[in-house]
Amino acid sequence: MRAYTPSGRQQDEATPIVSSARALAQEADILILCVPNDAAIFASAEGDEGFLAGARRGTLILNTSTISPEATQKLAERATEKGLRFVDSPMSGSTPEAEKGELVMLVGASHDDLEAARPVLGAIGKLTIHAGEVGAGTRLKLVINGIMGATLNVIAEAVGYGLSSGLDRTMLYQALAQVAVISPHHKRKLGCAEKGDFAPQFPTRLMSKDMGLLVSAARSTHSFCPSIAIADQALALSSKRHANDDYSALFGAIEKSVVKQDEPANEA
C-alpha cells in the first residue's frame, strides 16, 4: 500500500509502503476504504492481517466504497466493537469529477464523527451531504446510481429505436446533446457513444454490481422498481462483453444489435 496526497498524486519515493491493511492501520489515525465490493471490504478488514486487527481505539474509518447496506451495517458494527469510529461515505461522481475535485460525498454518520471526518471529505470532494446515521450514505448512493443506470438504459433503448427507424446517426446524437431532458452526465455518455469511445470512467462491471445491489435492497423493502430491474438486466448482459469498458458501452451494444448488416458500425 502506498500513500497519496489529497489530489490523488502519489507521494515521493520516501513514502513508506506497508505490506498489509493491518500494518497500515497500526500507523494511521484515519483510514479511507475504497474497494469494489462487499468481498473486498471484508478481505481488507478481517483476519490476522486485516485493518480491524491493527487499528487503534478511536481510529476514524471512512468507507468510500459502494457496497450493500447489509455489509455497511456489519462493518460498522465490527468497527464499533473495536472502539473505532465509522463513517459511511460513498462518493458520487466518476473519473472527470475526481480529477477536478468535484466528487459529492454521501455520508451516513453521527454528527461528531462527521465533523471529525469533514476535513478529509472536503479534500476528496466539493460537497458533503449528511444523509443520516450510518447506512444512510450507502442507501442514498444506491438511489443515485439507480437513476444513472436506469436513465442510461432508457436513452440507449430510444437511440436504438431511432437508428432502427432510419434516423441519421450523426443528427440523432447531436440532437440529443442539445435537449434539456437529458442530464449533463448522460450527454457526456452520449458524446462517448457517438465517437465509439468507451474508455472506462465508470466500468460496466461496477455499474452492474451497483444495480444488482439496488435490486436486492429494493426487494428487501418491497419497493416497486421495474425500470431499475430491467436496467439491471441490460447492464448485466452488457457486462458479459464490456466488463472493463465504461458503462456507456451499453449504447454500443444496442447500436450493434439494431444496425443493418450492410451498414458500417462502430465495434461495440
Side-chain angles (χ1 to χ4, degrees), residues 102-114:
E102 294 182 351
L103 294 168
V104 175
M105 310 306 294
L106 314 170
V107 178
S110 70
H111 173 78
D112 289 348
D113 288 348
L114 170 59

Side-chain angles (χ1 to χ4, degrees), residues 169 173 187-199 201 251 255 265-267:
R169 182 181 188 276
Y173 276 105
K187 286 180 179 178
R188 189 169 75 209
K189 298 304 180 186
L190 278 164
C192 293
E194 182 181 7
K195 295 180 290 186
D197 177 8
F198 302 116
Q201 297 177 355
F251 282 109
E255 182 170 343
N266 292 324
E267 179 63 28

Side-chain angles (χ1 to χ4, degrees), residues 1 12 46 51 74 77 80 86 114-115 122 134 140 142-143 156 160 168 174 181 183 198 215 217 219 233 235 250:
M1 296 184 182
D12 60 42
E46 298 181 330
F51 69 79
K74 179 180 176 182
E77 290 171 357
T80 300
F86 185 84
L114 170 59
E115 292 308 309
V134 169
L140 179 57
L142 293 183
V143 169
D168 178 77
Q174 291 181 356
V181 296
S183 72
F198 302 116
V215 168
R219 184 180 298 114
Q233 292 295 297
L235 286 158
L250 181 60

Side-chain angles (χ1 to χ4, degrees), residues 26 30 145 147 149 167 171 179 198 210 222 244 258:
Q26 289 172 332
I30 300 174
N145 278 21
I147 292 169
L167 288 177
M171 180 282 299
V179 295
F198 302 116
D210 291 355
H222 307 288
N244 294 312
V258 302

Side-chain angles (χ1 to χ4, degrees), residues 4-9 11 98 119-120 123-125:
Y4 289 79
T5 66
S7 66
R9 294 181 180 177
Q11 292 183 4
V120 178
I124 299 172

Side-chain angles (χ1 to χ4, degrees), residues 161-241:
Y161 158 72
L163 295 172
S164 294
S165 74
L167 288 177
D168 178 77
R169 182 181 188 276
T170 299
M171 180 282 299
L172 176 60
Y173 276 105
Q174 291 181 356
L176 293 175
Q178 300 301 317
V179 295
V181 296
I182 297 178
S183 72
H185 171 83
H186 290 101
K187 286 180 179 178
R188 189 169 75 209
K189 298 304 180 186
L190 278 164
C192 293
E194 182 181 7
K195 295 180 290 186
D197 177 8
F198 302 116
Q201 297 177 355
F202 186 20
T204 303
R205 60 185 170 81
L206 295 182
M207 176 54 92
S208 179
K209 179 264 299 184
D210 291 355
M211 296 298 285
L213 291 178
L214 177 53
V215 168
S216 178
R219 184 180 298 114
S220 72
T221 58
H222 307 288
S223 300
F224 181 66
C225 301
S227 298
I228 286 170
I230 291 170
D232 169 52
Q233 292 295 297
L235 286 158
L237 182 62
S238 182
S239 188
K240 292 188 71 172
R241 291 189 60 187

Side-chain angles (χ1 to χ4, degrees), residues 145-167:
N145 278 21
I147 292 169
M148 285 172 54
T151 301
L152 183 122
N153 182 60
V154 168
I155 298 170
E157 288 180 2
V159 167
Y161 158 72
L163 295 172
S164 294
S165 74
L167 288 177

Side-chain angles (χ1 to χ4, degrees), residues 63-66 87-93 103-109 114 121 127-132 135-145:
N63 179 36
T64 67
S65 316
T66 302
V87 176
D88 162 35
S89 52
M91 304 171 286
S92 180
L103 294 168
V104 175
M105 310 306 294
L106 314 170
V107 178
L114 170 59
L121 297 169
L127 176 67
T128 295
I129 297 174
H130 190 195
T138 292
R139 297 193 299 274
L140 179 57
K141 177 62 183 291
L142 293 183
V143 169
I144 291 168
N145 278 21

